[in-house]
Amino acid sequence: MKSDTQVAIIGAGPAGLLLGRLLRLSGIDNVILEARDRHYVENRLRAGLLEQPTVDLLDAAGTGERLHREGKFHEGFELRFGGRSTRIDMRELTGRAITILYPQTEVVKDLLAARDKTGDPIAFEVSDVTPEDIEGDRPTVRYRDAAGVAHEIRADFIAGCDGFHGVCRPAIPASLTKTFLRDYPFAWFGILADAPPISDELIYAHHIRGFSMHSMRSDKVSRLYLQVAPDDTIENWNDERIWTELQLRMGSEGSPRLNEGPILHKSITPMRSFVTEPLQHGRLFLAGDAAHIVPPTAAKGLNLAVADVSVLSDGLITFYKHGDRSVLDGYSHLALQRIWRAQEFSRAMTELLHHVPGQEFDERLQRARLEGLVASRAAMTTFCENYTGLPFAGRIHH
């Protein structure tokens, strides 16, 4: 079966769904293709820390109502090291805040609900997705639907929002791309615990035994993380060992002990940084995890995907409204500027808080950086400007 559209979007994660929503608000036809079923997409577990610019763009897309009702806006966070704790007031330093208790899963549900209302096409459980003729004027996407029926979509542009393991990035000739990759010598062991959080704000802790973090999933459920070796396994960590290590690493003078309770879920996440350049070739454009991966320390993954979409949607809207391709042609250059700044901050925050054993010189430097951060208003301001989110480059024309 053959069909036509203006923009074919591959991937129904936050990047693809938000792009489709912003295009629809400007009257631009688009189709979304997704390899997974809807239930999986709506229930895929991902953490959620939303930068202020991300919240602003979701508001502009008309999908922020529930977020403001159910999310929790945090104006500061706690930094623990050397047995003491310092609260850093983001609102006072930058005038901005972050949103938590509204994970990526909920953002996706809001975007899907908005698409349901407009009736724009979205095909789940597709297979054999193949972008073709991306250097021509009307590229094609071939795929099979859930019933195995072959389809062909002709479009003006293709947006590759299909993640790190998707089909769009490999569609750009390898001879024209450059990949940047860094693997870190540690991983995150994450737990979900049936135990009330001890703080309404995030707590980051540096300890000689390794990094730890305290967050929350609700008023009754805590989300906590421990730095572990990249080859560690969940089987090595029973509940007693987990709580003992968390209490030790997160302890600080005058602070309450963590509330303990049954552990509901365990996972280990490797730490890596990845960027591909360029983000476009012909009429194919990459956004989100298809283009970059960041370590989770600074929670930039979802926010970077939204930043990409801000620029890409601006380029597409400008093209269709004014016949001007200059923003679209500059997409890769513009998006990569913010991507690399986010990569640098994520790397710096990761190396600031995680312990690498056996490197005493680096340990002293790390402690000096931590002391310098909390002693300087200017340093804390710069840190919080990056943490709460740099402005998006895209300008949405509705």
Side-chain angles (χ1 to χ4, degrees), residues 114-172:
R115 194 169 184 90
D116 288 342
K117 289 181 180 178
T118 59
D120 291 300
I122 179 168
F124 292 99
E125 297 182 82
V126 302
S127 59
D128 299 331
V129 180
T130 308
E132 296 180 352
D133 303 322
I134 61 175
E135 296 175 345
D137 292 335
R138 290 282 288 173
T140 299
V141 180
R142 301 182 190 277
Y143 71 96
R144 292 187 180 276
D145 64 22
V149 178
H151 293 257
E152 177 184 310
I153 300 176
R154 289 175 60 86
D156 296 328
F157 302 99
I158 300 173
C161 307
D162 52 344
F164 183 77
H165 299 289
V167 300
C168 289
R169 188 173 68 251
I172 300 177

Side-chain angles (χ1 to χ4, degrees), residues 310-320 324-325 327-328:
S310 175
V311 181
L312 182 54
S313 61
D314 185 37
L316 290 165
I317 292 167
T318 301
F319 170 77
Y320 282 111
D324 179 1
R325 270 201 62 155
V327 178
L328 199 54

Side-chain angles (χ1 to χ4, degrees), residues 220-336:
K220 297 181 179 179
V221 178
S222 295
R223 182 68 166 156
L224 304 119
Y225 297 92
L226 286 167
Q227 173 188 340
V228 297
D231 59 351
D232 209 339
T233 63
I234 292 174
E235 291 71 27
N236 288 335
W237 292 85
N238 60 32
D239 291 9
E240 181 181 0
R241 184 188 177 194
I242 289 171
W243 286 118
T244 298
E245 195 67 23
L246 280 167
Q247 297 287 9
L248 180 62
R249 295 192 196 183
M250 300 216 66
S252 69
E253 186 177 347
S255 299
R257 286 173 56 84
L258 297 173
N259 293 316
E260 299 184 13
I263 293 178
L264 309 174
H265 183 263
K266 305 176 185 179
S267 62
I268 292 182
T269 304
M271 308 277 280
R272 65 166 37 183
S273 298
F274 165 84
V275 180
T276 187
E277 294 186 6
L279 306 183
Q280 63 193 90
H281 178 66
R283 290 180 174 248
L284 171 64
F285 299 82
L286 305 178
D289 287 358
H292 45 72
I293 299 289
V294 290
T297 319
K300 296 300 181 188
L302 169 60
N303 296 291
L304 264 188
V306 173
D308 294 345
V309 168
S310 175
V311 181
L312 182 54
S313 61
D314 185 37
L316 290 165
I317 292 167
T318 301
F319 170 77
Y320 282 111
K321 282 198 169 186
H322 308 291
D324 179 1
R325 270 201 62 155
S326 60
V327 178
L328 199 54
D329 289 340
Y331 164 68
S332 185
H333 173 74
L334 196 57
L336 281 166

Side-chain angles (χ1 to χ4, degrees), residues 337-357:
Q337 290 181 344
R338 195 181 195 281
I339 289 166
W340 279 112
R341 290 191 67 179
Q343 287 283 6
E344 194 282 327
F345 180 70
S346 296
R347 177 204 58 81
M349 190 171 173
T350 299
E351 294 182 354
L352 177 71
L353 295 174
H354 290 75
H355 176 66
V356 180

Side-chain angles (χ1 to χ4, degrees), residues 1-15:
M1 298 175 63
K2 296 184 178 181
S3 60
D4 290 343
T5 191
Q6 290 176 293
V7 181
I9 301 171
I10 302 176

